[in-house]
Amino acid sequence: MRKHLKKMLDELFQALDGTHDEIRKEIENRNTSGARTLLEQSQQGAIQAGTVIENEEGEGSRTVGLIEQYCEMLYQIYDALSRHQTVNPNKACKNLRKQLLRIRNSADAEIPVRTEVVFLPYKASMWDSLESVWKAAADPDCDAYVIPIPYYDKNPDGSVREMHYEGEDYPDYVLVTDYRAYDFEKRHPDIIFIHNPYDDTNFVTSVPSSFFSKNLKKYTDLLVYIPYFILGEVSPDNDEAIEGMKHFCITPGVLHAHKVIVQSEDMRQVYIKVLTKEVGEQSRSYWEEKILGIGSPKVDKVMNTGRDEVKIPEEWRRFIEKPDGSRKKIVFYNTTVGALLHNDEQMLKKIKHVFQVFQENQEDVALLWRPHPLMKATIESMRPHLWGEYQEILDKYQAEGYGIYDDSPDLDRAIILSDAYYGDWSSVVQLYEKTGKPIMIENFDVGQGS
């Protein structure tokens, strides 16, 4: 809000400064009536500035005291002109200017402009893609706001249905601001960070149109997009591999953002290559300036959090701990929407087989099943005929009680706690690789006879 306040004050002070020469000219021309009118207008402008400061900053500021002195100077000139006393126009103008300069200097000291940064996550499970940047913004000269935004599930025909808001699901140490309480147009934050790049192009979910990247860029000087995922590293010279992932490079968020932060320098070169080919060689320098390959906050989160720092839910302990108090090996089983869409019924059979194997070995190994957070929405939107069977599998797994079902927003907890990864190929694999722990990708051709 201070930035908005300072802008308003600067405009008022500039207007006041502009009247000084006009007052001088009117006095020199002996136009007492015109000079008095300008003095009245100047006093009204000064009073308005003082009122604005008191409303925003409270009473008793030095700046307001200097404004009161300025108003008194204006009144003394006005009174002298009303009494037909001689007024030195040059001296009067000089004194007013000097006092206004004192006011402006005082305002700069008492109302320092702070950088205002807004973070707009939509799913709490994806907050790790912004968290380390948010922590870095915890600076005395910066006001950082975490404003979770709602999102909608989509029907097969593209229309929206149920709305979700996960503002209550963020870590306790994250102070959340209600998206309905923040006026983007009025506050015009210096920087906005987003991790949803899709605008209206996602088949499964959508955020409200007011939070589309093309609209948000109107309300900030710097819109920054950081992907919520990590991609498999590819060489910028590997055209075949790039072809399979180029759709990530040309989303609306990438195109509309002022800056895009990706996971590595190689990935930066991939983005530049794809975007240059898409738009034209003349755009290369633009993309080179826009795309930054300085790393992913998701990696920061996983690498900087130790297992002893992770809070384990009490109900998980019966799956993790053996009767003698020792700890079982924990396998993180990750099932993805991509694998579901590609394999349909075959994937459901595979899940059943995996559960059977881990149930038989539950004395030594704890299964931590974490389906993609959008699994339910994806099935309902794109594979509705599978929903009944999937729900049966889920209910049976939870009822039989031999493994953890993790539908929390905290992906990093699953990565940090587990001893190995098993499941589908996804961006989680790229993140898990950073831990150095074993990774096994499931084969849908194995276990289909069960």
Side-chain angles (χ1 to χ4, degrees), residues 201-256:
T201 63
N202 193 325
F203 294 113
V204 177
T205 62
S206 178
V207 298
S209 60
S210 56
F211 295 109
F212 287 175
S213 59
K214 65 182 179 183
N215 293 323
L216 288 173
K217 69 183 301 184
K218 303 173 187 175
Y219 304 121
T220 183
D221 301 322
L222 185 62
L223 179 64
V224 182
Y225 163 56
I226 303 177
Y228 64 83
F229 50 80
I230 293 181
L231 298 172
E233 289 289 343
V234 300
S235 168
D237 298 324
N238 189 339
D239 291 335
E240 183 178 353
I242 291 173
E243 185 65 27
M245 54 149 298
K246 69 176 185 180
H247 58 284
F248 291 110
C249 306
I250 52 176
T251 58
V254 172
L255 300 176
H256 293 302

Side-chain angles (χ1 to χ4, degrees), residues 166-231:
E166 300 184 359
E168 302 297 324
D169 297 335
Y170 287 75
D172 293 340
Y173 54 81
V174 179
L175 179 62
V176 165
T177 298
D178 192 300
Y179 67 97
R180 292 159 293 197
Y182 189 93
D183 189 329
F184 284 84
E185 184 173 7
K186 181 179 180 181
R187 299 184 72 108
H188 197 90
D190 298 279
I191 310 173
I192 296 177
F193 286 91
I194 60 172
H195 64 190
N196 181 341
Y198 298 113
D199 287 5
D200 57 351
T201 63
N202 193 325
F203 294 113
V204 177
T205 62
S206 178
V207 298
S209 60
S210 56
F211 295 109
F212 287 175
S213 59
K214 65 182 179 183
N215 293 323
L216 288 173
K217 69 183 301 184
K218 303 173 187 175
Y219 304 121
T220 183
D221 301 322
L222 185 62
L223 179 64
V224 182
Y225 163 56
I226 303 177
Y228 64 83
F229 50 80
I230 293 181
L231 298 172

Side-chain angles (χ1 to χ4, degrees), residues 102 273 317 360 431:
R102 293 189 189 102
K273 185 173 185 177
R317 295 189 181 279
E360 292 169 356
L431 188 56

Side-chain angles (χ1 to χ4, degrees), residues 57-101:
E57 300 293 314
E59 298 181 358
S61 74
R62 179 175 182 271
T63 305
V64 172
L66 292 172
I67 289 174
E68 290 172 349
Q69 294 175 22
Y70 179 79
C71 289
E72 179 62 26
M73 293 170 65
L74 291 168
Y75 173 74
Q76 293 296 335
I77 299 169
Y78 182 94
D79 187 57
L81 292 173
S82 299
R83 295 171 179 272
H84 305 291
Q85 296 175 352
T86 300
V87 175
N88 184 323
N90 290 324
K91 183 178 179 181
C93 182
K94 181 179 179 181
N95 288 338
L96 289 173
R97 277 213 167 95
K98 285 174 65 177
Q99 185 66 14
L100 185 60
L101 181 60

